[in-house]
Amino acid sequence: MDKRTIREADIAGKRIFVRVDFNVPLMDGRVTDDSRIRAAIPTIRHLLLGGASVVLASHLGRPNGKVQDGLRLRPVGERLTQLIGRNVPVTGSALGVGTEDAVKRLRPGELLLLENLRFHPEEEANDPEFARQLAAYADIYVNDAFGTAHRAHASTVGIAELLPAYAGLLMEREITVLSSLLESPEHPFAAIVGGAKVSGKLDVLTNLLTKVDVLVLGGGMANTFLLAEGKAVGKSLAEHDMVDEARRVLADAKKRGVEVVLPVDVVVAKEVTRGTEYKTIPADKIPASWHIADVGKATVDRIEAALADARTVFWNGPLGVFEIPSFAHGTIEIARFLAARADAGATVVVGGGDSVAAIAQQGLASKMTHISTGGGASLEFLEGRTLPGVDVLPDQAPVKVAAKPRTRARA
């Protein structure tokens, strides 16, 4: 899947609208994880150094079409200013006379960040008039927000239909890496899928089974698979209405010869809270009143053995209740193991908030082949679904091969 990128755009002297994904966590008015901001910097620098002026646009949180002071983008603008070494003013609103004036005053090499797009209900409704107003700010549209590409919003689809549209460098990287997982992964190919629920990842599991050699299941969703195997899970999080679907996945894996790795031992707790009593026990001996909160050491060893020869690994979702340190050990150990696999030359792609957080907290992000910025978007991509924000971008023009001159036959 080759989309037209900013490398092909004539950007000098142009005003460019860039949809970025600055949906980052805030605490006390400060950005606590700037990885998504950093990921957009190569595109921003490319445009500024190419002589363009740049209008950045993003959402933050879920304000449901209403202004919420706690979801303003000023802290994001301040952090980007620090990272990029240029002043990044933030407008008071995405629309309005003041914003229009600020956009018109932009000079080549300058940039501006619009206030939270989702303060306007028209954004998520992909309202044509809202898209037209945004398009009026620029000559060219660039989408560098892969994390929102699965949403057909005004800033991801509507505006792309009104301006010459290109993929940013981050968008290009996401598409290239994730496409390679589906189309040409080096084998053995393993997927580690964790998180809370089977229902949210059933389609991606179904599609991955046609690609992978090993499937590791962890987190709350693994409990549903333990039920499917006839094991009790006590008071653990599980989807009892998804047990038949879990059985279908296991049967499909067996039919295809895919090795499935489920917990053989688990960390159980009286309550899933800090400071609670917990212990490690076999996965087939869960007390009725206890909760599964993490995988045990024997399970980690089994996962590492199954992945020892893997040449490609995709990881989405933690193996336990990662937010609580007592139940983060399985996730942390796998993060370290995957960093070692990447050092050994394997392709390791990580997506999903908690998985990425585990990597970042251990200082291992730079060791991974690719850290995807799109949790839901990356899963939908790997399901084989069309992402509206990607589909609307024009394909790269085919390379024309010059015809060889004909040689005149001798008489």
Side-chain angles (χ1 to χ4, degrees):
M1 182 186 293
D2 296 319
K3 292 295 180 179
R4 189 170 70 179
T5 76
I6 55 174
R7 294 188 186 88
E8 303 166 70
D10 178 12
I11 61 176
K14 301 292 178 59
R15 189 181 301 131
I16 301 181
F17 186 106
V18 184
R19 180 49 160 106
V20 288
D21 183 6
F22 288 167
N23 185 29
V24 297
L26 302 177
M27 182 177 291
D28 300 324
R30 299 186 66 181
V31 175
T32 58
D33 179 359
D34 63 9
S35 55
R36 285 186 172 180
I37 302 174
R38 290 177 181 272
I41 288 178
T43 289
I44 297 170
R45 286 197 189 281
H46 176 91
L47 297 172
L48 294 177
L49 293 175
S53 56
V54 176
V55 178
L56 300 173
S58 178
H59 74 285
L60 176 61
R62 297 180 178 178
N64 298 317
K66 297 178 181 178
V67 175
Q68 295 187 24
D69 287 339
L71 294 177
R72 288 191 178 276
L73 284 167
R74 189 165 300 281
V76 175
E78 292 171 354
R79 184 59 184 142
L80 180 57
T81 294
Q82 296 167 356
L83 291 171
I84 205 167
R86 298 175 187 240
N87 183 45
V88 185
V90 183
T91 63
S93 173
L95 301 180
V97 175
T99 300
E100 292 172 6
D101 288 343
V103 169
K104 289 177 182 177
R105 288 196 300 269
L106 281 179
R107 297 291 178 262
E110 295 180 344
L111 67 163
L112 177 73
L113 175 59
L114 302 183
E115 186 52 278
N116 194 335
L117 293 170
R118 291 190 184 174
F119 285 172
H120 303 265
E122 297 88 352
E123 159 65 359
E124 293 185 82
N126 193 16
D127 179 77
E129 178 57 22
F130 185 69
R132 187 194 64 76
Q133 290 175 291
L134 296 178
Y137 293 152
D139 306 301
I140 291 173
Y141 169 77
V142 172
N143 193 342
D144 210 32
F146 181 76
T148 64
H150 57 320
R151 307 299 187 198
H153 293 170
S155 66
T156 60
V157 172
I159 186 174
E161 297 172 334
L162 300 173
L163 292 173
Y166 297 82
L169 302 179
L170 174 60
M171 175 71 81
E172 177 190 34
R173 174 72 173 160
E174 293 273 14
I175 293 171
T176 299
V177 171
L178 295 177
S179 292
S180 72
L181 294 183
L182 295 178
E183 298 166 5
S184 56
E186 187 177 357
H187 289 270
F189 176 20
I192 307 170
V193 184
K197 296 182 177 182
V198 177
S199 55
K201 297 182 178 179
L202 182 61
D203 289 341
V204 76
L205 289 175
T206 300
N207 200 39
L208 284 174
L209 281 179
T210 67
K211 315 289 181 183
V212 302
D213 306 291
V214 179
L215 177 63
V216 177
L217 298 171
M221 65 181 297
N223 302 336
T224 303
F225 283 90
L226 291 177
L227 285 174
E229 289 192 328
K231 298 180 175 68
V233 297
K235 295 173 67 177
S236 308
L237 172 68
E239 293 178 282
H240 295 268
D241 60 337
M242 295 297 293
V243 169
D244 286 343
E245 291 291 350
R247 288 196 186 101
R248 181 187 63 76
V249 170
L250 294 174
D252 192 18
K254 184 176 181 180
K255 179 181 176 181
R256 295 178 181 278
V258 175
E259 179 185 0
V260 176
V261 180
L262 279 166
V264 292
D265 68 336
V266 292
V267 177
V268 294
K270 280 282 191 182
E271 300 293 339
V272 187
T273 58
R274 292 174 184 267
T276 189
E277 179 184 355
Y278 63 92
K279 58 186 177 181
T280 303
I281 60 175
D284 59 356
K285 299 186 183 300
I286 312 299
S289 61
W290 289 62
H291 305 258
I292 298 174
D294 196 9
V295 295
K297 184 180 184 304
T299 299
V300 171
D301 290 344
R302 187 178 177 193
I303 293 171
E304 293 181 356
L307 303 185
D309 298 324
R311 298 302 303 160
T312 306
V313 182
F314 170 69
W315 181 22
N316 180 284
L319 301 183
V321 186
F322 175 74
E323 313 88 84
I324 300 175
S326 299
F327 311 133
H329 298 297
T331 301
I332 290 171
E333 287 303 314
I334 292 305
R336 292 172 177 169
F337 176 79
L338 291 180
R341 292 299 305 135
D343 271 346
T347 296
V348 179
V349 179
V350 184
D354 287 333
S355 312
V356 173
I359 297 290
Q361 287 180 17
Q362 300 299 307
L364 301 173
S366 63
K367 293 184 176 294
M368 302 303 170
T369 308
H370 181 64
I371 303 289
S372 180
T373 57
S378 62
L379 284 178
E380 289 195 19
F381 192 99
L382 293 176
E383 288 171 16
R385 293 170 62 177
T386 298
L387 306 188
V390 173
D391 191 49
V392 74
L393 299 175
D395 292 335
Q396 197 173 60
V399 177
K400 294 182 179 180
V401 179
K404 293 182 180 179
R406 293 183 178 180
T407 55
R408 183 175 297 176
R410 293 183 180 179

